[in-house]
Amino acid sequence: MALEVNGKTYETDEEGYLLNLSEWDEDIAKVLAESEKVEMSENHWEVVNFLREYYNDYQIAPAVRVLTKAIGKKLGAEKGNSKYLYELFPYGPAKQACKIAGLPKPTGCI
């Protein structure tokens, strides 16, 4: 599969995850978010940018439990809980947010 954004083609897998992580930018993130029916707010960007930092540090996209715990440590308990993250990313905070962040599908996600 491929997406075209601003005249540039981005290759994705069959589920819509970017194949080349280095091609990610905010423009492709907005298109991916739109395809996921997510209207990006400052809180969404905070999670997406956190995920990109996490991936740079550990070379892995975290599963939802790890994501929740890590966000709680960095951004506070009010953001490090499943309820908050599911409000932002209703189809799965790890899976949906990782897709928008240009990261691979987290291990263990269906």
Side-chain angles (χ1 to χ4, degrees):
M1 271 177 69
L3 292 173
E4 191 165 317
V5 180
N6 299 330
K8 184 171 179 358
T9 301
Y10 298 86
E11 292 298 319
T12 65
D13 69 10
E14 64 280 351
E15 293 184 71
Y17 289 84
L18 279 184
L19 293 179
N20 186 345
L21 281 58
S22 66
E23 291 183 334
W24 183 89
D25 62 23
E26 286 195 9
D27 289 336
I28 188 69
K30 290 173 186 172
V31 170
L32 292 167
E34 192 176 300
S35 75
E36 290 290 311
K37 297 177 178 44
V38 171
E39 195 171 318
M40 296 296 283
S41 69
E42 190 175 314
N43 292 333
H44 290 88
W45 286 114
E46 189 173 48
V47 173
V48 164
N49 290 322
F50 173 87
L51 278 167
R52 293 196 54 83
E53 284 176 32
Y54 186 98
Y55 191 85
N56 284 337
D57 291 345
Y58 302 104
Q59 302 302 299
I60 189 167
V64 70
R65 290 181 67 164
V66 175
L67 171 63
T68 303
K69 195 177 276 191
I71 284 189
K73 278 185 183 175
K74 182 158 185 179
L75 304 177
E78 70 279 357
K79 294 183 178 182
N81 66 73
S82 294
K83 182 180 184 298
Y84 173 79
L85 294 172
Y86 272 95
E87 285 172 2
L88 294 175
F89 302 100
Y91 295 108
K95 185 176 173 181
Q96 205 171 27
C98 280
K99 182 185 279 187
I100 294 167
L103 302 177
K105 185 176 177 180
T107 308
C109 283
I110 300 169

